[in-house]
Amino acid sequence: MNERTEAQQRPASEIPVVGRRQPCPCGSGKRYKACHGASGGQSKIKVTRPFEGLAAECELVALREFVPSATAVLPRRSGEREIELATVLPMAAAALVRTDGKAFVGLQVQTRSGDISRDLARAVEWAETAEPGNSLSAVGPEDAPEGTVPNRLQDLMDPDAPLDVRIHEDFSWWMPEGVEASGEVAMSLERANAAIMPTRRLEAEGVHAAYWVDATDRAHLRWVRPEPEEKLISALARLSARGELALDEDSRYAGSFRAHGLLVPVWDLDREKHHREWEEPAAALGGRLDEALASLDERGLDASERRARDGLRGRQITIR
């Protein structure tokens, strides 16, 4: 079998996404749009864990999925302009450069390639050179420069760097200081501010990507975890069987949801308590969970823990 035939027989998931008018990387000699890019091709294959390999994976998932208004400087491998990741931008833009030159890339956007990591990387590359006052409405694999394979966020971001997340009360940071929003931006700003649920990031030692959210009738803790789903569910079941899954007597485990390949456990909380009052209980719960995770390597679940695990599997929730 010659080299070209072998390449053409590779699974579609292994064929890099390129511009639709470029030669297909499979070596067929056809343009990408007529080969693996036909009818969407690789661009329609959804990458279930787009931020895998990044130390900031859990924070990225939180900012992408449920944190309303937050920003974080993107720790890049190189680049002259400082670029900030943002949860939401005006009109759900993929990126923008404010009139004062400050650049942002939006996380809560529709992905067009099936891989939010690729789309974010293209937005970052656009923001690097865009002129002040410009915005990028959307981005996808067809926007890659001719003759190149699109980067992913992992190619541009320091893989070992954490994110220094800053939570904002509203979306006033969309505008430079002293500048008033007008037109569509003003309407978008008003709608975004009206939809915000008060959110705080817990800052306890050893607690990462855990967010307190005030949902009006009750408060929640949403905690993005990096462990494989089955192992995490087993550890949670071990705690549940011991009666140790709640943060304290004013909380209860509500369930979990999946987001970008990770599991996000959720607890209902007494909303009368200040969010900082949950930091110590969250740290203690994190310690118990780490111990339960480690113990799984030594012994499997017993009968009561397996029953607890079956119950937890049935408690999948939605946040939208």
Side-chain angles (χ1 to χ4, degrees), residues 76 80-86 88-106 122-137 173-177 179 185:
R76 288 193 292 160
E80 296 182 3
R81 171 180 275 173
E82 181 178 272
I83 297 174
E84 293 200 28
L85 295 174
V88 181
L89 294 175
M91 281 81 73
L96 66 81
V97 180
R98 293 190 322 200
T99 54
D100 62 356
K102 197 169 185 62
F104 296 90
V105 168
R122 288 293 298 121
V124 169
E125 291 166 338
W126 176 90
E128 170 66 29
T129 59
E131 294 294 325
N134 287 336
S135 66
L136 178 68
S137 60
W173 53 268
W174 283 358
M175 307 300 297
E177 187 174 353
V179 176
V185 174

Side-chain angles (χ1 to χ4, degrees), residues 10-22:
R10 288 162 57 194
S13 60
E14 296 181 8
I15 304 298
V17 178
V18 298
R20 292 176 61 77
R21 295 181 180 179
Q22 298 174 31

Side-chain angles (χ1 to χ4, degrees), residues 53-115:
L54 296 172
E57 180 182 17
C58 293
E59 295 289 359
L60 287 167
V61 169
L63 297 182
R64 161 78 177 166
E65 285 301 305
F66 58 81
V67 177
S69 181
T71 56
V73 174
L74 177 65
R76 288 193 292 160
R77 297 174 186 263
S78 62
E80 296 182 3
R81 171 180 275 173
E82 181 178 272
I83 297 174
E84 293 200 28
L85 295 174
T87 48
V88 181
L89 294 175
M91 281 81 73
L96 66 81
V97 180
R98 293 190 322 200
T99 54
D100 62 356
K102 197 169 185 62
F104 296 90
V105 168
L107 282 162
Q108 295 180 23
V109 295
Q110 290 188 345
T111 177
R112 292 166 55 188
S113 71
D115 182 359

Side-chain angles (χ1 to χ4, degrees), residues 3 11 37-38 59 65 95 119 177 273 277 287 294 296 316-317 319:
E3 182 178 348
E59 295 289 359
E65 285 301 305
D119 290 354
E177 187 174 353
K273 288 188 174 182
E277 294 183 71
L296 293 172
Q316 298 291 321
I317 64 174
I319 62 172

Side-chain angles (χ1 to χ4, degrees), residues 7-320:
Q8 289 176 244
Q9 291 190 359
R10 288 162 57 194
S13 60
E14 296 181 8
I15 304 298
V17 178
V18 298
R20 292 176 61 77
R21 295 181 180 179
Q22 298 174 31
C24 187
C26 79
S28 65
K30 301 178 182 179
R31 287 187 176 185
Y32 182 70
K33 69 178 181 179
C35 192
H36 281 84
S39 300
Q42 170 74 2
S43 69
K44 297 299 182 183
I45 296 175
K46 183 173 178 60
V47 176
T48 57
R49 194 172 171 182
F51 307 124
E52 186 174 11
L54 296 172
E57 180 182 17
C58 293
E59 295 289 359
L60 287 167
V61 169
L63 297 182
R64 161 78 177 166
E65 285 301 305
F66 58 81
V67 177
S69 181
T71 56
V73 174
L74 177 65
R76 288 193 292 160
R77 297 174 186 263
S78 62
E80 296 182 3
R81 171 180 275 173
E82 181 178 272
I83 297 174
E84 293 200 28
L85 295 174
T87 48
V88 181
L89 294 175
M91 281 81 73
L96 66 81
V97 180
R98 293 190 322 200
T99 54
D100 62 356
K102 197 169 185 62
F104 296 90
V105 168
L107 282 162
Q108 295 180 23
V109 295
Q110 290 188 345
T111 177
R112 292 166 55 188
S113 71
D115 182 359
I116 185 62
S117 180
R118 287 195 191 279
D119 290 354
L120 288 172
R122 288 293 298 121
V124 169
E125 291 166 338
W126 176 90
E128 170 66 29
T129 59
E131 294 294 325
N134 287 336
S135 66
L136 178 68
S137 60
V139 68
E142 64 273 20
D143 300 311
E146 189 75 21
T148 66
V149 175
N151 283 319
R152 304 183 75 237
L153 196 59
Q154 287 84 339
D155 300 315
L156 307 180
M157 185 174 174
D158 180 350
D160 300 319
L163 281 185
D164 182 14
V165 177
R166 286 170 287 169
I167 302 293
H168 303 281
E169 299 282 349
D170 55 27
F171 288 94
S172 59
W173 53 268
W174 283 358
M175 307 300 297
E177 187 174 353
V179 176
E180 292 291 330
S182 61
E184 289 184 337
V185 174
M187 290 187 291
S188 183
L189 180 61
E190 183 178 356
R191 288 193 298 267
N193 284 339
I196 281 183
M197 290 190 295
T199 301
R200 297 291 184 273
R201 183 176 181 271
L202 298 192
E203 302 289 348
E205 184 175 356
V207 177
H208 306 287
Y211 289 83
W212 172 92
V213 182
D214 184 351
T216 305
D217 58 333
R218 68 185 67 185
H220 306 289
L221 173 66
R222 297 169 180 167
W223 196 341
V224 187
R225 299 291 307 191
E227 297 84 9
E229 179 175 335
E230 281 304 307
K231 188 169 185 178
L232 179 59
I233 285 288
S234 294
L236 292 170
R238 179 153 286 173
L239 295 184
S240 179
R242 297 177 187 169
E244 298 179 352
L245 189 50
L247 281 82
D248 65 9
E249 65 276 6
D250 295 321
S251 69
R252 72 175 185 88
Y253 181 75
S256 62
F257 63 92
R258 297 182 185 90
H260 300 295
L262 299 181
L263 200 65
V264 186
V266 179
W267 286 262
D268 289 338
L269 310 175
D270 180 356
R271 69 183 297 266
E272 296 301 319
K273 288 188 174 182
H274 193 276
H275 75 273
R276 288 182 182 153
E277 294 183 71
W278 295 107
E279 292 187 343
E280 186 174 334
L285 174 60
R288 296 196 300 273
L289 187 54
D290 288 342
E291 181 275 328
L293 286 162
S295 71
L296 293 172
D297 296 329
E298 301 172 3
R299 66 184 190 282
L301 301 182
D302 60 26
S304 65
E305 291 168 340
R306 289 195 295 273
R307 287 193 296 271
R309 180 186 61 188
D310 293 341
L312 294 181
R313 282 175 172 165
R315 296 170 71 177
Q316 298 291 321
I317 64 174
T318 180
I319 62 172
R320 293 181 181 174

